[in-house]
Amino acid sequence: MSQSAPQNASSLAASEAPKASRGPLSIPIIFYLAFLVAVVVLPATAFTAVLLARHNVAQEETVQTFTVATARSVLQSVEREIAGMITTQRVLMSIEALNAGDLAQFHEHAQTALAGTGSYFIIADDEANQLLNTRVEYGTPLGQVSDLETVRRALETPDAVVSDVFFGRTAEEYVFNVVRQRPGIAPPQLAILTQNAASLSNALLTRELPQGWHVALVDSNNTVLAASQDAARIGEPLFIPLREGAGGTRWIDTTIASEDYKTITQYSILTGWYVVAWAPSSQVTEPLRTTLLWLLAGALVIVGLAGFAASLIGKQIASSVRGLARQARAMGAGQEIVAIPYPVQELATVSEALAEAGAKRRQAETESRFLMREVAHRSKNQLTVISAMAKQTARGADNVEKFVESFQNRLYGLARSTDLLLAHGTQGIGLRDLFRTQIDPFRPEDPSRVVKTGVNVYLNVQAAQVLGMAAHELATNAAKYGAFSRDGGKLTVNWNRAGGGRLHLVWRETVPDFTPPADHKGFGTVVLQTMVAGSLKADVERIVHADGIEWMFSIPLEQIDPDRDTPDTDEPEAAL
């Protein structure tokens, strides 16, 4: 046994010696890289061909989805315009002069209210004879309404009826009407808000369509009301026929005069109109085929370059990628990342980008938390203001209709102030802009009847909301009972910082044949005497003069954020 053990050991060593001398087969790294490229390229080439074919379909679906969405967006924009006209029509029908039968005064009020809107107001009897038309001077001889079919439909329903496009004899242009019966009038009368069809073109021109696409707005007879540039002419039939089932999510292949088109049709229930988008099929499919070929050629080139580059920079990429992975994990953990100068410039750029992204991520997280707190704070403030408005309006309302009208008008005033807040962001709102926004809907045409002077003080959010509501109430009262209610009335608004760390604001109305108001305290008085005084710690004084009302406000500057003041000197302005 003692002799056999050494013998076995020597035999084992002798048998293993040749194996150790041969060792593993050495192959240059280029072989491994070439083999890797071959393994990747062959399956990748086949897989890429499948992906590119699917890409063609996906790209077409993307274009289709975008064009359908754009057509819907155009339709929604048009419907918002018509809905606004219906609201304007309802407001004009409630004007006291019209209900009192004073058409001359109503004509003047309606022209003022519609100035710059592109809309005109018509009153017609049940025989379609025009009694009033703000497109011309009052007293001008008028004939029948041009669109008798819509008049007939409006006499059969209490709802607003939107007409098709037609050529207006008075306008001498293609127009459309929104027609509604005046409630409670016998024999029936019609209130008609008319507008030039060309004014709807903005809804089409502001929407971007893919190259080669056109869009048009047509009525129920397929007559063009508006169209994108050089696509069709207003008042003429559209060469694309209307199809049933409008409003789908896919385009339809249509052949017209031996040419194929892709068409999309969206229908408006509100107006009975259609939005039609179209493009030659060749222009839709040709770019996709071209893209497919370029993608295929690019894929082949990239694969070839990747194989060549792999043989040169394999080691550098491996070490650099490991370093980038470490940086990515650090960024995911929220740690600070320092850029590393890798030997490959592109990877060094990625390292720098990761470092910048990490810093921006931390900054974005901080900003997001701040913005969420700010949004929550502003939303709570807005809800508190609206709740107070609703309660105070309800106290002064005799019925639901009056409450709705008053509350809606005050919401509009608050909305205009909010629009200024959104437009100016953290800059704050200029006091001059605030007064201009709230007074413009009520001011008379004569600019000399509204004068304001004062430095352009910037307000914080709370001050802008409170003073915006106060300006709205004052302007409303001026339109009903004050400087804007009678010819010759004048409004003067001025403010200054006369010392003592306060802003002094004076609202002075001068009214011919002025009748002092009753002592009743409505919502406006509560806003002026309670909200302004309570929210801004202001001194509020109301003075009744023989020729009008005067309101005086003294507000501490810290309540309006004086750090936002501009260095402007006193600057008079004739009209707000």
Side-chain angles (χ1 to χ4, degrees):
M1 293 292 296
S2 60
Q3 292 179 350
S4 63
Q7 185 177 3
N8 292 337
S10 61
S11 300
L12 180 62
S15 63
E16 290 180 351
K19 295 181 180 179
S21 62
R22 289 196 301 268
L25 181 63
S26 287
I27 300 175
I29 190 172
I30 188 64
F31 173 82
Y32 292 101
L33 292 175
F35 177 76
L36 177 62
V37 170
V39 169
V40 172
V41 166
L42 294 179
T45 301
F47 186 62
T48 300
V50 175
L51 287 181
L52 288 175
R54 294 178 61 87
H55 169 79
N56 185 27
V57 176
Q59 188 75 2
E60 185 171 314
E61 295 244 354
T62 300
V63 174
Q64 181 171 248
T65 301
F66 177 72
T67 50
V68 170
T70 302
R72 286 180 178 173
S73 176
V74 169
L75 184 66
Q76 291 169 358
S77 179
V78 171
E79 288 186 333
R80 284 195 297 270
E81 176 74 17
I82 300 304
M85 291 181 64
I86 292 174
T87 301
T88 301
Q89 181 187 56
R90 188 181 299 114
V91 171
L92 290 174
M93 288 170 59
S94 66
I95 292 178
E96 184 177 352
L98 176 60
N99 296 324
D102 189 350
L103 295 183
Q105 184 179 5
F106 172 76
H107 184 279
E108 180 182 354
H109 287 180
Q111 275 192 329
T112 301
L114 295 175
T117 65
S119 298
Y120 303 92
F121 199 74
I122 300 171
I123 299 293
D125 60 20
D126 57 346
E127 298 295 332
N129 296 311
Q130 298 182 67
L131 307 178
L132 172 149
N133 190 331
T134 62
R135 196 183 286 272
V136 297
E137 294 295 327
Y138 183 74
T140 302
L142 302 169
Q144 268 194 328
V145 175
S146 301
D147 181 23
L148 297 179
E149 172 61 21
T150 306
V151 168
R152 181 190 62 76
R153 290 164 52 203
L155 289 173
E156 297 173 354
T157 177
D159 298 328
V161 178
V162 181
S163 75
D164 288 337
V165 65
F166 62 94
F167 191 80
R169 289 191 296 269
T170 303
E172 296 184 350
E173 291 186 43
Y174 283 100
V175 299
F176 66 93
N177 290 342
V178 177
V179 186
R180 180 195 293 270
Q181 285 192 59
R182 290 186 59 201
I185 302 297
Q189 285 188 358
L190 299 171
I192 304 172
L193 195 62
T194 184
Q195 188 168 303
N196 295 342
S199 63
L200 296 174
S201 296
N202 289 335
L204 279 65
L205 296 177
T206 55
R207 299 300 190 278
E208 289 189 8
L209 286 166
Q211 184 177 3
W213 281 84
H214 305 279
V215 65
L217 175 67
V218 301
D219 62 17
S220 60
N221 296 318
N222 203 25
T223 303
V224 176
L225 287 105
S228 55
Q229 292 181 345
D230 302 326
R233 296 183 61 181
I234 297 174
E236 295 183 356
L238 186 65
F239 76 99
I240 301 291
L242 292 177
R243 289 190 176 255
E244 296 183 1
T249 60
R250 305 187 67 83
W251 57 40
I252 298 174
D253 293 317
T254 304
T255 301
I256 302 172
S258 302
E259 185 169 357
D260 294 330
Y261 291 89
K262 303 287 188 182
T263 64
I264 298 169
T265 305
Q266 298 291 320
Y267 175 69
S268 169
I269 298 177
L270 176 64
T271 62
W273 299 343
Y274 298 82
V275 169
V276 182
W278 72 92
S281 297
S282 59
Q283 293 191 23
V284 175
T285 58
E286 183 61 30
L288 299 179
R289 285 196 297 268
T290 303
T291 301
L292 181 63
L293 294 176
W294 276 107
L295 285 175
L296 181 60
L300 294 175
V301 171
I302 290 173
V303 169
L305 292 177
F308 178 73
S311 64
L312 300 178
I313 59 173
K315 291 183 179 180
Q316 289 85 347
I317 289 178
S319 61
S320 299
V321 167
R322 285 192 292 270
L324 290 175
R326 288 192 294 271
Q327 286 185 290
R329 285 191 290 270
M331 185 180 71
Q335 300 174 3
E336 183 177 359
I337 302 174
V338 179
I340 300 174
Y342 292 112
V344 180
Q345 182 179 0
E346 288 76 7
L347 297 179
T349 303
V350 174
S351 176
E352 293 174 0
L354 285 173
E356 293 176 2
K360 290 181 178 178
R361 175 185 173 179
R362 293 193 300 274
Q363 180 182 359
E365 290 175 349
T366 302
E367 292 177 354
S368 295
R369 288 192 292 270
F370 172 77
L371 290 175
M372 290 299 293
R373 290 195 298 268
E374 183 68 13
V375 167
H377 176 69
R378 292 196 180 188
S379 298
K380 291 177 182 177
N381 285 346
Q382 195 85 312
L383 290 173
T384 301
V385 171
I386 293 174
S387 176
M389 286 172 53
K391 292 177 181 177
Q392 293 294 343
T393 304
R395 292 175 185 171
D398 298 331
N399 51 60
V400 174
E401 289 76 9
K402 183 177 179 181
F403 167 78
V404 171
E405 180 181 1
S406 301
F407 185 59
Q408 188 178 47
N409 289 335
R410 284 168 182 136
L411 279 179
Y412 289 160
L414 182 61
R416 287 193 290 270
S417 299
T418 303
D419 287 342
L420 284 176
L421 282 170
L422 295 176
H424 294 279
T426 57
Q427 256 188 338
I429 298 177
L431 184 57
R432 181 181 294 115
D433 291 336
L434 184 68
F435 274 116
R436 179 183 294 112
T437 300
Q438 297 296 345
I439 293 178
D440 269 352
F442 305 95
R443 68 179 180 85
E445 283 188 340
D446 184 0
S448 64
R449 292 178 58 187
V450 181
V451 177
K452 62 119 175 143
T453 56
V455 296
N456 193 17
V457 178
Y458 276 81
L459 308 174
N460 59 27
V461 173
Q462 182 183 11
Q465 289 180 339
V466 173
L467 290 180
M469 292 174 62
H472 173 78
E473 295 301 327
L474 288 169
T476 301
N477 290 338
K480 290 181 178 179
Y481 320 109
F484 300 160
S485 65
R486 300 182 184 180
D487 293 337
K490 184 175 181 180
L491 169 63
T492 301
V493 185
N494 62 72
W495 60 89
N496 61 75
R497 291 169 294 182
R502 303 180 78 86
L503 173 70
H504 299 283
L505 171 64
V506 178
W507 176 288
R508 178 70 165 93
E509 298 182 36
T510 305
V511 186
D513 300 325
F514 175 68
T515 301
D519 292 331
H520 170 71
K521 289 188 176 182
F523 178 81
T525 304
V526 171
V527 169
L528 298 170
Q529 293 185 334
T530 303
M531 292 190 68
V532 177
S535 300
L536 302 182
K537 300 180 181 179
D539 297 328
V540 181
E541 183 178 1
R542 174 176 177 261
I543 302 174
V544 180
H545 296 280
D547 60 347
I549 295 290
E550 181 178 23
W551 286 89
M552 302 178 65
F553 306 86
S554 179
I555 307 170
L557 291 179
E558 64 265 22
Q559 297 298 320
I560 64 172
D561 198 355
D563 291 338
R564 300 190 190 280
D565 294 355
T566 64
D568 297 349
T569 58
D570 287 356
E571 177 185 350
E573 181 172 327
L576 288 173

